Amino acid sequence: DAGITQSPRYKITETGRQVTLMCHQTWSHSYMFWYRQDLGHGLRLIYYSAAADITDKGEVPDGYVVSRSKTENFPLTLESATRSQTSVYFCASSVGGTSYGYTFGSGTRLTVV
Amino acid sequence: SQQGEEDPQALSIQEGENATMNCSYKTSINNLQWYRQNSGRGLVHLILIRSNEREKHSGRLRVTLDTSKKSSSLLITASRAADTASYFCASHGAAGNKLTFGGGTRVLVKP
């Protein structure tokens, strides 16, 4: 989607390694989110951020770290990757409030071997 | 656990037919949203219906919301092959600015 980009699109990493997934949005949306999508589980919220320097845990935060030093960037770090973290990761952003939907990035397919 | 559950999980129809899918959720909501996901792509926002609304239209899409039953439905009229995708409902809880997604309905529109 124009305006929100994720990188890399594909990543293969080894168990135990640290890996960072990047997310950048150009709209200055207040809210940003990280979801993972797995067969049988749909999309599950990992972390979200209401503004720069404000982050909060979602449904499945264990093993992940986020930061948001600038409004436009919201990187997700897997501190020590495990095979159970093999998934497709989506970043999303939103203006906020109850009247707006989310805009999603194209996703990062992460494989942990 | 997921807030929303969708039914059916998969749907196969002929081009020109209507497609209906349902979503149930568990807790009070501010709004309910529907998204489409084409294979290998991100989700695209389709339509948002607020908790005080009962029906909403957008082009060939019609969404209904029944807060007493905690359920919503998405109707796609006169389907096209390009409508082939997965469709997800997402509930925006009454507390906090987070969306909780259902498991999705895979729709196949055969030409």
Side-chain angles (χ1 to χ4, degrees):
Chain A
D1 280 74
I4 184 164
T5 55
Q6 292 185 237
S7 61
R9 282 299 311 273
Y10 303 93
K11 176 74 176 179
I12 300 174
T13 191
E14 294 178 340
T15 301
R17 288 194 179 268
Q18 183 181 81
V19 60
T20 296
L21 310 184
M22 305 301 293
C23 179
H24 175 79
Q25 53 110 349
T26 59
W27 294 300
S28 298
H29 283 172
S30 296
Y31 284 83
M32 295 188 76
F33 308 84
W34 276 105
Y35 285 86
R36 60 178 289 175
Q37 185 176 30
D38 305 286
L39 280 174
H41 291 280
L43 282 91
R44 292 179 291 174
L45 181 64
I46 304 170
Y47 269 97
Y48 67 104
S49 169
D53 298 322
I54 300 174
T55 61
D56 209 345
K57 295 178 180 179
E59 184 185 353
V60 288
D62 293 344
Y64 303 94
V65 174
V66 293
S67 62
R68 197 165 176 208
S69 57
K70 293 183 178 181
T71 300
E72 61 265 32
N73 296 324
F74 191 38
L76 175 74
T77 297
L78 288 67
E79 296 183 293
S80 178
T82 65
R83 289 200 178 95
S84 65
Q85 292 177 310
T86 292
S87 186
V88 181
Y89 291 85
F90 287 100
C91 177
S93 70
S94 172
V95 169
T98 59
S99 299
Y100 301 94
Y102 288 11
T103 303
F104 279 81
S106 298
T108 294
R109 183 176 293 275
L110 176 68
T111 303
V112 183
V113 298
Chain B
S1 63
Q2 295 184 68
Q3 167 78 311
E5 297 296 334
E6 294 178 65
D7 171 57
Q9 290 188 328
L11 184 59
S12 180
I13 56 174
Q14 293 293 138
E15 206 165 26
E17 294 180 339
N18 295 342
T20 300
M21 58 210 85
N22 304 295
C23 167
S24 61
Y25 57 92
K26 296 176 183 175
T27 61
S28 297
I29 60 171
N30 276 315
N31 65 61
L32 189 130
Q33 303 177 28
W34 287 88
Y35 289 78
R36 183 188 72 232
Q37 184 181 34
N38 292 94
S39 181
R41 308 295 294 271
L43 282 76
V44 174
H45 181 255
L46 294 176
I47 195 166
L48 179 153
I49 185 166
R50 295 185 181 85
S51 60
N52 61 352
E53 298 175 312
R54 292 298 166 257
E55 187 170 312
K56 200 161 183 180
H57 297 253
S58 176
R60 294 184 296 111
L61 305 179
R62 182 174 80 102
V63 169
T64 62
L65 179 65
D66 186 335
T67 52
S68 67
K69 295 181 179 177
K70 293 186 168 59
S71 67
S72 174
S73 67
L74 172 67
L75 168 67
I76 305 172
T77 60
S79 62
R80 306 166 181 169
D83 295 327
T84 293
S86 291
Y87 292 81
F88 293 87
C89 70
S91 55
H92 187 296
N97 188 45
K98 297 180 290 183
L99 282 183
T100 304
F101 285 82
T105 294
R106 296 188 310 278
V107 175
L108 172 64
V109 182
K110 294 179 282 188

